[in-house]
Amino acid sequence: MSDSTSNETPATPHRRRPRYAGKHPRRFEEKYKERDPAKYADTVEKVLASGKTPAGTHRPIMVMEILEVLAPQPGEVAVDCTLGYGGHTLEILKRIIPGGRLLGLDTDPIELPKTEARLRALGFGPEVFTAHRSNFAGLPQVLAGAGLEGADLMLADLGVSSMQIDDPLRGFSTKADGPLDMRMNPQRGQSAAALLAKIQAAALAEMLVTHADDPNASTLAPILAGRKLRTTAELANAIRSALPRLMKDEVDLTIRRVFQALRIAVNDEFSALDSLLRVLPTCLRPGGRVAILTFHSGEDRRVKKAFEAGSQAGVYAEISREVGRPSPEERRANPRSSPAKLRWARKADTAAS
Ligand SMILES: C[S@@+](CC[C@H](N)C(=O)[O-])C[C@H]1O[C@@H](n2cnc3c(N)ncnc32)[C@H](O)[C@@H]1O
């Protein structure tokens, strides 16, 4: 513990925080006010009003729609497969107390402890809320480790959080320069840079199509495959140079698609989702509800197919017939919600899983 009454000169000289130079876009480390929302509530309000997400936070999407389908009740067991900033979890926690319990999973070892600390500070002790650094593909093991046979309600809000996208050091950002990493868990697997350096052109072309429906896959793949690109800016520039005749908007869209394809591959996102969909019925109690938010067609197709197959097999008593979308108000207030699609299912009361 530090002693604030000491007169000794500190061992390390005081360093001024970086100041915002007044130019757009601001660098992540300059957004110090947004990252201390308790102290700078007015700044955070302004950022939110402009349709942006305050640095170091994440705005939960389709909260009311999700609560309606999950219908959390006091005393129930809930699982948030993708804890993130804990926005959905917080709303579920409020509704399952007293007597309820929520397990929050996330593969990200950097953000998970911060979210756990925030929820603890809000008064949710370990008897109500536990955080698990785990891929959701390992959900059965997490439930067994917690002494639970299944959950009454479950949520998966797929993809990456705003904290991950907005921090250039994580390498997800198409806008700010940083190491070409893209791992949700940087302690595991290979970075996007390592993947790109090793991959063959044919495999990259296929990946760009299956992971991001990229119409420029056959042009880009031979140019990018095997390249030793170290940063996100180097990759974005390589894509720009490869498509000299495309309009700027089209190039920007292509950059986003290539980043998405690489991110999905680096984190093996489709395999994890397929595993989750396979084990879901065994992880839900009879009558249990699950909601899944997806952000691109590759994810939505998988969820739709799995729910339809479960419905036909009698595992699910009811599934969403239509896909849910964020309201126009939500899309305006939080443009990052725009691609979201919500599907849900309810396990049959008597279904054999
Ligand atoms: C869109 S964010 C979730 C945001 C959260 N619902 C909230 O309200 O803050 C997705 C989160 O899921 C995590 N994630 C993605 N794939 C995962 C997986 N296979 N297993 C566990 N966590 C995963 C990411 O690290 C990220 O924190």
Side-chain angles (χ1 to χ4, degrees):
M1 222 162 76
S2 67
D3 178 6
S4 59
T5 59
S6 166
N7 285 329
E8 284 174 19
T9 313
T12 45
H14 172 71
R15 287 182 53 211
R16 290 185 69 87
R17 58 173 157 66
R19 283 194 179 275
Y20 172 39
K23 299 244 167 41
H24 260 343
R26 290 185 302 154
R27 293 205 313 269
F28 182 77
E29 65 270 23
E30 289 170 336
K31 300 179 179 180
Y32 60 91
K33 286 192 176 177
E34 295 161 39
R35 289 152 77 194
D36 191 353
K39 202 163 157 197
Y40 298 106
D42 53 339
T43 304
V44 170
E45 277 304 310
K46 276 188 207 149
V47 174
L48 287 171
S50 70
K52 298 204 175 98
T53 301
T57 71
H58 179 94
R59 298 163 78 182
I61 291 170
M62 298 185 77
V63 177
M64 286 308 149
E65 294 87 340
I66 287 171
L67 290 172
E68 196 181 325
V69 299
L70 292 182
Q73 303 297 319
E76 287 194 321
V77 172
V79 173
D80 186 343
C81 294
T82 50
L83 181 65
Y85 193 73
H88 291 108
T89 276
L90 176 59
E91 294 307 318
I92 295 170
L93 277 170
K94 288 184 203 162
R95 289 162 175 84
I96 59 171
I97 51 170
R101 181 169 173 197
L102 184 145
L103 278 60
L105 277 61
D106 206 298
T107 186
D108 183 340
I110 298 169
E111 294 297 333
L112 184 73
K114 298 184 204 167
T115 299
E116 182 178 14
R118 259 192 318 274
L119 290 165
R120 289 273 178 270
L122 290 173
F124 296 101
E127 70 293 352
V128 185
F129 164 71
T130 45
H132 304 261
R133 220 246 350 104
S134 169
N135 192 303
F136 53 57
L139 179 60
Q141 291 82 347
V142 174
L143 282 170
L148 293 165
E149 283 190 359
D152 299 297
L153 54 129
M154 207 178 287
L155 170 68
D157 171 12
L158 301 177
V160 277
S161 68
S162 293
M163 295 88 74
Q164 292 166 329
I165 299 171
D166 293 339
D167 182 351
L169 291 178
R170 305 296 303 266
F172 293 106
S173 172
T174 55
K175 297 198 180 108
D177 196 14
L180 188 57
D181 193 312
M182 301 196 193
R183 284 172 294 178
M184 294 184 206
N185 179 356
Q187 296 158 359
R188 283 244 174 121
Q190 62 177 348
S191 67
L195 185 152
L196 213 47
K198 275 193 234 150
I199 199 165
Q200 302 288 318
L204 181 59
E206 193 188 331
M207 180 199 292
L208 293 175
V209 172
T210 56
H211 293 17
D213 301 317
D214 192 338
N216 298 301
S218 58
T219 309
L220 287 173
I223 296 172
L224 298 179
R227 293 275 293 276
K228 291 192 170 56
L229 301 170
R230 289 170 306 118
T231 70
T232 51
E234 284 178 17
L235 174 57
N237 286 335
I239 298 167
R240 275 187 203 102
S241 320
L243 303 167
R245 279 194 275 277
L246 237 54
M247 303 285 283
K248 185 181 176 306
D249 284 358
E250 266 301 305
V251 175
D252 288 346
L253 184 60
T254 305
I255 291 173
R256 288 200 296 276
R257 285 195 190 112
V258 173
F259 273 61
Q260 173 183 306
L262 282 173
R263 191 203 82 204
I264 291 171
V266 161
N267 295 289
D268 220 355
E269 291 179 37
F270 287 156
S271 305
L273 178 56
D274 289 340
S275 300
L276 176 68
L277 292 167
R278 213 170 26 246
V279 299
L280 249 183
T282 57
C283 295
L284 281 172
R285 286 175 170 167
R289 291 84 67 200
V290 55
I292 304 190
L293 267 183
T294 64
F295 291 85
H296 52 85
S297 56
E299 291 173 340
D300 183 55
R301 264 196 305 271
R302 285 173 157 77
V303 177
K304 182 174 183 230
K305 265 177 78 176
F307 284 179
E308 282 175 357
S311 167
Q312 275 159 21
V315 174
Y316 296 123
E318 210 184 342
I319 61 170
S320 44
R321 289 288 158 210
E322 305 262 302
V323 77
R325 303 300 308 262
S327 65
E329 294 73 38
E330 177 163 13
R331 273 182 262 168
R332 244 193 323 275
N334 178 13
R336 283 183 176 171
S337 72
S338 299
K341 288 184 180 167
L342 175 66
R343 292 191 187 270
W344 57 265
R346 184 169 62 77
K347 185 170 163 173
D349 289 327
T350 53
S353 47

